[in-house]
Amino acid sequence: MHGEEDSADMSASQLIKRLILMLVISGGVAFAARWWGMEVHQQIAVGVFLSIILGTLFFWTFRLAIAFLGIGVLIITKSLNVPHFVEAASLPVILFLVGMMIIVGSLRDLGFFTWVVQTIISIPNINGRKFVAVTAVASALLACAVDEVTSIIFISTLIFQVCSRLKLNPTPYIIICVLCTNVGSAGTMMGNPVGIYIGTQAGLSFEDFIIWAFPVMLASLAAMVMLTMFWFRKDLDEFQEKLTERMDRNLSLAPKVKVPYKRGLTVLLLTLVAIASHHQLESLLGLEPNSMLLVAPLACAGLIMIVKHNRARHYVEHEVDWWTLLFFMLLFAIAGTLEHTGVTGLMADHFVHAFGSDHRVLIPVIMGTTAIGSAFVDNVVFVAAFAPVIKELGRTVSATPLWWSLLFGACFGGNITLIGSTANIVALGMLEKNSHTSVRFFDWLKIGFLSSLLSCGMAWAALTVMAPYMPEKRMTHQAAASVQLETPEPRAVH
């Protein structure tokens, strides 16, 4: 996904070298695009979007500043206008994420996550392999319910606590849980920002995710648990040995603390029910698809802020990651410029020309490309770039299987490298801070690549089998309008 290297710590010469490299590559590709039949505005859109990708690689700390400059270039050169900027910024997605972040903040306040950790520790007849397997599955399911980063923070804390008492190196158990968390983030819309973005672009409901994505996630998760348990079998034997010694001395893994969890659990269940029933409510009230889905977290967050009014300002100011959300808005707008200028139409034509319109080919190509790209660059960037292309492909082929391949590629591909997802970076940062231990790039790559290959392979097989049975979804008003406005003429398939 991205490196957490702090660009602010780079020397001036390093900064200048990387800046020159970014400008040369993005400018060179934009200039070369004229030979691919692109006009000036299309070349500028390509150059700016490429600079955003390179900016997340070379200047993670400055990514928001680069996005600001990119929007400025697009508007000054008339490659993007303000109304289209507002439309392409995907404000509903941003508001959904704001609502969920406030809800997660209140769950943290109410002790819900502490209760989850205590519940895992208190499992009867616990043994080493059972404990690690349950923790890994809980990490994945928690990612489905809230988000991958929140999940891995609490699960990592549990692992550090247990490994400290058993005097074990927590590294293998952290890696197991991170890999499973990334897989779990594909199960629902709430697991990963790309989930809600794909859902709104494709017109997919929460129910669609439960029917088509959740079972694939569960199967991949089961395979992932078995693979990682085998890969780290020697470490698990050591865990079992130390745990047995401790149990023989009648010592527990952690002190038992009574946590008043019921209010937190109630808040989470009410939120999930509100989100899960959005499709029925929209049909009942005659609303646009996904209207209630986007409103539900905001409504729940509003109720929480009334009940806990003394914490409302804290939730908004400290629990909402405004920096990231603002970057997402600008990124979506820059990606929307590719669509606005017709670049995605050309990409879709070339894509179909190169790979045809057979789902058996398109599904692995899209999934593989997104997985490899997400291993090194922010998966939201890749999804934002691919989304307009899939909308264009939807003119000639059924787009629904392609949206799912995009989702699984982006989520499962995050396991390939240790910088492949935000969850990886957060967990490894906590590992360094708590245990003064680091993971080497190639040590992670061995199990990361294998796990991604396994999970993507399973998703590929599942989508190939399910594709003929998937109903074609109606895009949201915003997504449908953008396709219609930018490319009025249907494109022929070569």
Side-chain angles (χ1 to χ4, degrees):
M1 184 174 170
H2 56 73
E4 190 61 15
E5 178 186 12
D6 192 351
S7 308
D9 292 337
M10 284 191 295
S11 65
S13 62
Q14 285 178 313
L15 200 64
I16 292 172
K17 284 178 183 175
R18 291 191 180 193
L19 181 62
I20 292 174
L21 184 61
M22 185 185 80
L23 292 176
V24 167
I25 294 176
S26 55
V29 171
F31 183 76
R34 61 185 298 186
W35 285 291
W36 301 330
M38 293 188 188
E39 48 88 21
V40 175
H41 290 139
Q42 292 172 329
Q43 291 176 258
I44 294 171
V46 169
V48 170
F49 186 76
L50 192 56
S51 69
I52 293 293
I53 293 178
L54 296 174
T56 60
L57 270 177
F58 297 159
F59 309 102
W60 179 248
T61 306
F62 301 140
R63 66 193 187 284
L64 185 56
I66 294 171
F68 274 129
L69 293 171
I71 287 292
V73 170
L74 291 174
I75 291 180
I76 289 172
T77 58
K78 298 183 180 178
S79 302
L80 176 70
N81 55 39
V82 174
H84 193 85
F85 164 70
V86 174
E87 182 183 335
S90 294
L91 191 59
V93 174
I94 302 300
L95 292 176
F96 178 93
L97 295 174
V98 169
M100 286 303 299
M101 288 177 181
I102 291 174
I103 292 168
V104 168
S106 73
L107 290 176
R108 188 180 291 112
D109 258 5
L110 294 169
F112 172 76
F113 298 109
T114 306
W115 171 71
V116 171
V117 169
Q118 293 289 336
T119 303
I120 294 173
I121 292 175
S122 61
I123 292 175
N125 302 319
I126 192 79
N127 59 48
R129 282 183 165 73
K130 189 175 179 181
F131 173 82
V132 174
V134 169
T135 305
V137 172
S139 179
L141 296 181
L142 201 55
C144 282
V146 282
D147 68 86
E148 57 174 356
V149 175
T150 304
S151 170
I152 201 60
I153 286 174
F154 285 94
I155 293 297
S156 296
T157 304
L158 165 65
I159 292 173
F160 293 138
Q161 190 177 37
V162 171
C163 287
S164 172
R165 289 180 179 271
L166 297 180
K167 301 187 185 322
L168 286 170
N169 177 5
T171 304
Y173 318 110
I174 288 288
I175 293 176
I176 291 173
C177 289
V178 171
L179 296 176
C180 291
T181 299
N182 286 326
V183 170
S185 70
T188 68
M189 284 180 166
M190 294 91 80
N192 198 304
V194 300
I196 185 62
Y197 183 71
I198 288 174
T200 54
Q201 294 296 307
L204 298 169
S205 65
F206 180 86
E207 192 177 306
D208 291 322
F209 271 73
I210 296 299
I211 293 173
W212 303 107
F214 195 75
V216 177
M217 182 280 292
L218 283 182
S220 300
L221 177 61
M224 185 68 61
V225 171
M226 288 190 280
L227 171 67
T228 51
M229 299 281 276
F230 176 76
W231 186 272
F232 294 107
R233 58 190 180 282
K234 292 181 180 176
D235 300 286
L236 290 170
D237 288 340
E238 186 183 3
F239 190 105
Q240 178 63 40
E241 185 182 332
K242 295 286 183 70
L243 180 63
T244 303
E245 286 177 10
R246 190 171 180 85
M247 292 297 184
D248 288 343
R249 288 185 288 156
N250 292 321
L251 297 174
S252 64
L253 286 175
K256 292 183 179 178
V257 179
K258 190 173 181 180
V259 180
Y261 64 92
K262 292 184 179 177
R263 287 184 299 169
L265 185 60
T266 303
V267 168
L268 180 62
L269 289 177
L270 287 176
T271 303
L272 290 177
V273 168
I275 292 175
S277 59
H278 77 93
H279 181 64
Q280 290 75 14
L281 291 173
E282 288 155 6
S283 301
L284 184 68
L285 301 174
L287 299 173
E288 276 280 313
N290 287 348
S291 300
M292 287 302 296
L293 169 69
L294 299 169
V295 166
L298 285 180
C300 292
L303 291 174
I304 289 169
M305 291 165 66
I306 291 173
V307 174
K308 294 184 71 71
H309 54 88
N310 57 333
R311 296 283 288 166
R313 183 174 287 275
H314 169 81
Y315 293 148
V316 174
E317 293 182 351
H318 299 286
E319 297 292 350
V320 179
D321 186 354
W322 291 108
W323 177 282
T324 299
L325 294 181
L326 193 52
F327 174 71
F328 282 171
M329 282 181 62
L330 300 181
L331 170 66
F332 295 153
I334 291 170
T337 309
L338 296 176
E339 186 179 355
H340 180 65
T341 55
V343 173
T344 54
L346 293 173
M347 290 171 64
D349 283 348
H350 287 298
F351 208 82
V352 172
H353 183 68
F355 301 107
S357 56
D358 190 338
H359 281 136
R360 290 172 297 183
V361 177
L362 290 175
I363 287 173
V365 167
I366 291 173
M367 191 182 298
T369 305
T370 312
I372 293 171
S374 297
F376 300 97
V377 183
D378 197 316
N379 59 1
V380 179
V381 176
F382 254 78
V383 169
F386 246 105
V389 176
I390 292 182
K391 277 191 261 178
E392 289 293 334
L393 289 172
R395 289 175 171 274
T396 54
V397 299
S398 174
T400 306
L402 307 184
W403 287 113
W404 294 124
S405 64
L406 186 66
L407 172 77
F408 290 124
C411 293
F412 295 170
N415 278 337
I416 295 178
T417 67
L418 49 78
I419 58 170
S421 83
T422 307
N424 304 4
I425 295 165
V426 169
L428 294 180
M430 293 176 70
L431 180 67
E432 288 184 359
K433 184 177 179 182
N434 284 274
S435 305
H436 307 289
T437 305
S438 59
V439 179
R440 290 182 299 181
F441 184 87
F442 286 103
D443 287 342
W444 180 288
L445 186 65
K446 291 175 190 172
I447 181 63
F449 179 78
L450 194 59
S451 63
S452 293
L453 194 64
L454 175 64
S455 51
C456 284
M458 292 185 67
W460 173 16
L463 291 180
T464 302
V465 172
M466 295 189 299
Y469 305 101
M470 290 180 178
E472 192 59 24
K473 304 303 293 185
R474 184 163 67 94
M475 287 188 291
T476 57
H477 174 74
Q478 177 186 355
S482 62
V483 173
Q484 194 173 14
L485 284 172
E486 309 317 331
T487 52
E489 295 296 328
R491 296 178 181 280
V493 179
H494 298 285

Short mmCIF file of all heavy atoms in Angstrom, two decimals, residues 376-397:
data_model
loop_
_atom_site.label_atom_id
_atom_site.label_comp_id
_atom_site.label_asym_id
_atom_site.label_seq_id
_atom_site.Cartn_x
_atom_site.Cartn_y
_atom_site.Cartn_z
N PHE A 376 2.06 -2.45 -3.28
CA PHE A 376 3.07 -1.39 -3.20
C PHE A 376 2.47 0.00 -3.11
O PHE A 376 3.13 0.94 -2.66
CB PHE A 376 3.98 -1.46 -4.44
CG PHE A 376 4.71 -2.77 -4.55
CD1 PHE A 376 4.22 -3.78 -5.37
CD2 PHE A 376 5.86 -3.01 -3.82
CE1 PHE A 376 4.88 -5.00 -5.46
CE2 PHE A 376 6.53 -4.22 -3.91
CZ PHE A 376 6.04 -5.23 -4.73
N VAL A 377 1.24 0.17 -3.56
CA VAL A 377 0.62 1.50 -3.58
C VAL A 377 -0.73 1.39 -2.86
O VAL A 377 -1.32 0.31 -2.79
CB VAL A 377 0.41 1.98 -5.03
CG1 VAL A 377 -0.17 3.39 -5.05
CG2 VAL A 377 1.71 1.94 -5.79
N ASP A 378 -1.19 2.49 -2.31
CA ASP A 378 -2.48 2.53 -1.62
C ASP A 378 -3.56 1.82 -2.45
O ASP A 378 -3.79 2.16 -3.60
CB ASP A 378 -2.86 4.00 -1.40
CG ASP A 378 -3.95 4.13 -0.37
OD1 ASP A 378 -4.90 3.34 -0.42
OD2 ASP A 378 -3.84 5.01 0.50
N ASN A 379 -4.23 0.84 -1.82
CA ASN A 379 -5.24 0.10 -2.59
C ASN A 379 -6.41 0.99 -3.00
O ASN A 379 -7.07 0.72 -4.01
CB ASN A 379 -5.72 -1.15 -1.82
CG ASN A 379 -6.33 -0.81 -0.49
OD1 ASN A 379 -6.43 0.35 -0.12
ND2 ASN A 379 -6.74 -1.83 0.25
N VAL A 380 -6.66 2.06 -2.25
CA VAL A 380 -7.74 2.98 -2.64
C VAL A 380 -7.38 3.68 -3.95
O VAL A 380 -8.24 3.93 -4.80
CB VAL A 380 -7.98 4.03 -1.53
CG1 VAL A 380 -9.08 5.00 -1.93
CG2 VAL A 380 -8.34 3.34 -0.23
N VAL A 381 -6.09 3.97 -4.14
CA VAL A 381 -5.65 4.60 -5.39
C VAL A 381 -5.95 3.68 -6.58
O VAL A 381 -6.49 4.11 -7.61
CB VAL A 381 -4.14 4.91 -5.34
CG1 VAL A 381 -3.66 5.47 -6.66
CG2 VAL A 381 -3.84 5.90 -4.21
N PHE A 382 -5.61 2.42 -6.42
CA PHE A 382 -5.83 1.48 -7.53
C PHE A 382 -7.32 1.28 -7.80
O PHE A 382 -7.74 1.23 -8.95
CB PHE A 382 -5.16 0.14 -7.21
CG PHE A 382 -3.92 -0.06 -8.01
CD1 PHE A 382 -2.74 0.58 -7.65
CD2 PHE A 382 -3.92 -0.84 -9.14
CE1 PHE A 382 -1.60 0.43 -8.40
CE2 PHE A 382 -2.79 -1.01 -9.91
CZ PHE A 382 -1.61 -0.37 -9.53
N VAL A 383 -8.10 1.16 -6.73
CA VAL A 383 -9.54 0.97 -6.93
C VAL A 383 -10.16 2.21 -7.57
O VAL A 383 -11.01 2.09 -8.47
CB VAL A 383 -10.21 0.66 -5.57
CG1 VAL A 383 -11.72 0.73 -5.69
CG2 VAL A 383 -9.79 -0.72 -5.09
N ALA A 384 -9.73 3.38 -7.14
CA ALA A 384 -10.26 4.62 -7.74
C ALA A 384 -9.91 4.70 -9.22
O ALA A 384 -10.70 5.21 -10.03
CB ALA A 384 -9.70 5.83 -6.99
N ALA A 385 -8.73 4.21 -9.60
CA ALA A 385 -8.33 4.24 -11.01
C ALA A 385 -9.09 3.22 -11.84
O ALA A 385 -9.46 3.47 -12.98
CB ALA A 385 -6.83 3.99 -11.12
N PHE A 386 -9.33 2.06 -11.25
CA PHE A 386 -9.97 0.97 -11.99
C PHE A 386 -11.48 1.12 -12.08
O PHE A 386 -12.12 0.61 -13.00
CB PHE A 386 -9.63 -0.37 -11.33
CG PHE A 386 -8.78 -1.25 -12.19
CD1 PHE A 386 -7.43 -1.42 -11.91
CD2 PHE A 386 -9.30 -1.91 -13.29
CE1 PHE A 386 -6.64 -2.24 -12.71
CE2 PHE A 386 -8.52 -2.71 -14.09
CZ PHE A 386 -7.18 -2.87 -13.80
N ALA A 387 -12.08 1.78 -11.09
CA ALA A 387 -13.54 1.86 -11.03
C ALA A 387 -14.16 2.43 -12.32
O ALA A 387 -15.10 1.83 -12.88
CB ALA A 387 -13.98 2.66 -9.82
N PRO A 388 -13.65 3.56 -12.84
CA PRO A 388 -14.25 4.07 -14.09
C PRO A 388 -14.06 3.13 -15.27
O PRO A 388 -14.92 3.05 -16.16
CB PRO A 388 -13.48 5.40 -14.32
CG PRO A 388 -12.93 5.77 -13.00
CD PRO A 388 -12.63 4.48 -12.32
N VAL A 389 -12.95 2.39 -15.29
CA VAL A 389 -12.72 1.43 -16.37
C VAL A 389 -13.76 0.32 -16.33
O VAL A 389 -14.32 -0.09 -17.36
CB VAL A 389 -11.29 0.83 -16.26
CG1 VAL A 389 -11.07 -0.23 -17.32
CG2 VAL A 389 -10.24 1.92 -16.38
N ILE A 390 -14.06 -0.15 -15.12
CA ILE A 390 -15.06 -1.22 -15.00
C ILE A 390 -16.45 -0.70 -15.37
O ILE A 390 -17.25 -1.41 -15.96
CB ILE A 390 -15.04 -1.80 -13.57
CG1 ILE A 390 -13.72 -2.55 -13.38
CG2 ILE A 390 -16.21 -2.73 -13.33
CD1 ILE A 390 -13.56 -3.22 -12.06
N LYS A 391 -16.71 0.57 -15.04
CA LYS A 391 -17.99 1.15 -15.45
C LYS A 391 -18.11 1.14 -16.98
O LYS A 391 -19.16 0.85 -17.55
CB LYS A 391 -18.13 2.58 -14.93
CG LYS A 391 -18.62 2.64 -13.49
CD LYS A 391 -18.98 4.04 -13.09
CE LYS A 391 -17.90 4.71 -12.31
NZ LYS A 391 -18.20 6.09 -11.94
N GLU A 392 -17.00 1.46 -17.65
CA GLU A 392 -17.00 1.45 -19.12
C GLU A 392 -17.15 0.02 -19.65
O GLU A 392 -17.88 -0.23 -20.60
CB GLU A 392 -15.70 2.06 -19.64
CG GLU A 392 -15.58 3.56 -19.46
CD GLU A 392 -16.58 4.34 -20.30
OE1 GLU A 392 -17.01 3.81 -21.36
OE2 GLU A 392 -16.95 5.44 -19.90
N LEU A 393 -16.44 -0.93 -19.01
CA LEU A 393 -16.56 -2.32 -19.43
C LEU A 393 -17.99 -2.81 -19.26
O LEU A 393 -18.47 -3.68 -20.01
CB LEU A 393 -15.61 -3.20 -18.61
CG LEU A 393 -14.11 -3.05 -18.90
CD1 LEU A 393 -13.30 -3.83 -17.87
CD2 LEU A 393 -13.78 -3.52 -20.30
N GLY A 394 -18.70 -2.23 -18.28
CA GLY A 394 -20.07 -2.62 -18.02
C GLY A 394 -21.02 -2.32 -19.17
O GLY A 394 -22.16 -2.79 -19.18
N ARG A 395 -20.57 -1.53 -20.14
CA ARG A 395 -21.41 -1.26 -21.32
C ARG A 395 -21.53 -2.48 -22.22
O ARG A 395 -22.48 -2.62 -22.98
CB ARG A 395 -20.81 -0.11 -22.14
CG ARG A 395 -20.92 1.26 -21.47
CD ARG A 395 -20.20 2.29 -22.31
NE ARG A 395 -20.46 3.64 -21.82
CZ ARG A 395 -21.50 4.38 -22.17
NH1 ARG A 395 -22.38 3.88 -23.04
NH2 ARG A 395 -21.68 5.58 -21.69
N THR A 396 -20.51 -3.33 -22.16
CA THR A 396 -20.49 -4.47 -23.09
C THR A 396 -20.51 -5.83 -22.41
O THR A 396 -20.84 -6.82 -23.04
CB THR A 396 -19.23 -4.39 -23.98
OG1 THR A 396 -18.07 -4.29 -23.15
CG2 THR A 396 -19.29 -3.19 -24.90
N VAL A 397 -20.10 -5.87 -21.13
CA VAL A 397 -20.12 -7.15 -20.39
C VAL A 397 -20.76 -6.92 -19.03
O VAL A 397 -20.88 -5.77 -18.58
CB VAL A 397 -18.69 -7.71 -20.19
CG1 VAL A 397 -18.03 -7.99 -21.52
CG2 VAL A 397 -17.84 -6.77 -19.34
#
